[in-house]
Amino acid sequence: MKIAIMGAMIEEIEPILSKLDHHPENSELDYILSNLKNIKLHYIADNRFFEAKYKGIDVIVAYSKIGKVFASLTASVLIEHFGAEKLLFSGVAGAIREDLKIGDLVAATKLCQHDLDITAFGHPYGYVPEGKIYIQSDPELLALAKDVARRKGIELKEAVIATGDQFIADPERKEWIKNSFGADAIEMEGAAVAVVCDAFDVPFFILRAISDAADMDAGFDFDTFLKSSSKRSADFVMSMLDRMV
Ligand code: SAH
């Protein structure tokens, strides 16, 4: 079994890389050395891919860089070049739904592209011919996530995620996305990864921890909470991985 773990930014995957091949009995130095020894670095398509083993399973980790194009490229390489059989995405997102607060964990139930617009031809927002407005997440990975959350006593909320090549820090745009797509959270990569995984028939799971409320304070909140929210999301994804070994 080969599992891909993906983020968009280095901050999102750092907490994952630091856990690969970690043996609790090792000292900090041993731990760093063992990481260097056991993580194989690949350079493909102007990006870095970290290949490692985690408790006996093959794991391939990468951060794509921000946005739908880089995310699609990275997901495609993870699947086509490395043969990833499942893909877990970990990162941060802006909240749309009122009850979502900074630090909350959200699992995507389905994802859409809020900036995809050929409505001039009578198509709905988020749709192109032969595509779908929403891509559904894999039900088994979603069920596993819920079970992990329940057993660990962690609150995991389900969310419709809207993706687009825009950092949303604008209450009007946020409201429009909410009303147009029934979206609960917003980010810049999830739906792109979903489209790629759906096309290659690879089960995927998109997890996000809230970093901001996509409002006027979003830029400031994002910078403040990027690290802590990234870590929350990464820790949860590692707990899922623990159940997959
Ligand atoms: N501060 C970064 C840019 C971050 S862009 C820099 O200067 O390089 C925001 C990233 O976090 C994207 O990867 C996106 O997926 C996610 N994100 C978090 N909050 C978001 C919001 N309000 N709107 C869109 N994406 C958001």
Side-chain angles (χ1 to χ4, degrees), residues 44-135:
I44 299 164
D46 201 24
N47 200 7
R48 282 175 295 183
F49 294 81
F50 305 88
E51 193 178 13
K53 272 211 185 288
Y54 180 75
K55 298 182 179 174
I57 45 172
D58 294 315
V59 177
I60 178 93
V61 181
Y63 72 96
S64 56
K65 301 187 277 285
I66 295 163
K68 293 195 295 180
V69 175
F70 283 133
S72 309
L73 175 61
T74 298
S76 301
V77 171
L78 286 167
I79 293 167
E80 278 292 271
H81 182 88
F82 290 101
E85 291 159 274
K86 288 182 199 274
L87 190 154
L88 309 177
F89 189 104
S90 177
V92 298
I96 295 184
R97 209 170 71 211
E98 285 290 316
D99 69 298
L100 296 179
K101 303 294 175 217
I102 288 170
D104 282 359
L105 285 172
V106 295
T109 50
K110 58 181 184 177
L111 302 101
C112 58
Q113 298 178 63
H114 67 75
D115 59 350
L116 189 56
D117 179 356
I118 54 165
T119 53
F121 301 94
H123 297 295
Y125 284 107
Y127 176 81
V128 292
E130 298 184 42
K132 305 168 191 165
I133 298 182
Y134 296 99
I135 308 281

Side-chain angles (χ1 to χ4, degrees), residues 103-168:
D104 282 359
L105 285 172
V106 295
T109 50
K110 58 181 184 177
L111 302 101
C112 58
Q113 298 178 63
H114 67 75
D115 59 350
L116 189 56
D117 179 356
I118 54 165
T119 53
F121 301 94
H123 297 295
Y125 284 107
Y127 176 81
V128 292
E130 298 184 42
K132 305 168 191 165
I133 298 182
Y134 296 99
I135 308 281
Q136 305 286 335
S137 296
D138 178 62
E140 280 178 26
L141 287 173
L142 201 53
L144 172 67
K146 284 197 219 171
D147 194 51
V148 166
R150 189 180 52 78
R151 287 188 194 206
K152 289 193 155 262
I154 296 171
E155 192 175 11
L156 176 69
K157 295 179 173 174
E158 292 180 54
V160 175
I161 288 186
T163 301
D165 284 326
Q166 300 161 346
F167 180 79
I168 307 296

Side-chain angles (χ1 to χ4, degrees), residues 5-8 11-16 19 88-93 102-108 145 148 154-156 161 187 205-211 225-241:
I5 306 181
M6 186 181 155
E11 291 86 351
E12 291 171 332
I13 66 152
E14 246 168 12
I16 289 162
K19 282 199 176 159
L88 309 177
F89 189 104
S90 177
V92 298
I102 288 170
D104 282 359
L105 285 172
V106 295
V148 166
I154 296 171
E155 192 175 11
L156 176 69
I161 288 186
E187 37 85 311
F205 178 73
I206 311 281
L207 182 75
R208 298 274 180 172
I210 301 298
S211 55
F225 297 106
L226 169 62
K227 274 210 168 157
S228 57
S229 290
S230 291
K231 179 149 189 345
R232 274 213 87 195
S233 176
D235 286 349
F236 191 88
V237 158
M238 291 311 284
S239 300
M240 287 178 69
L241 201 59

Side-chain angles (χ1 to χ4, degrees), residues 174-193:
K174 176 176 156 175
E175 196 60 22
W176 182 86
I177 293 167
K178 178 185 176 180
N179 295 335
S180 307
F181 295 96
D184 303 309
I186 195 151
E187 37 85 311
M188 301 177 67
E189 298 83 18
V193 172

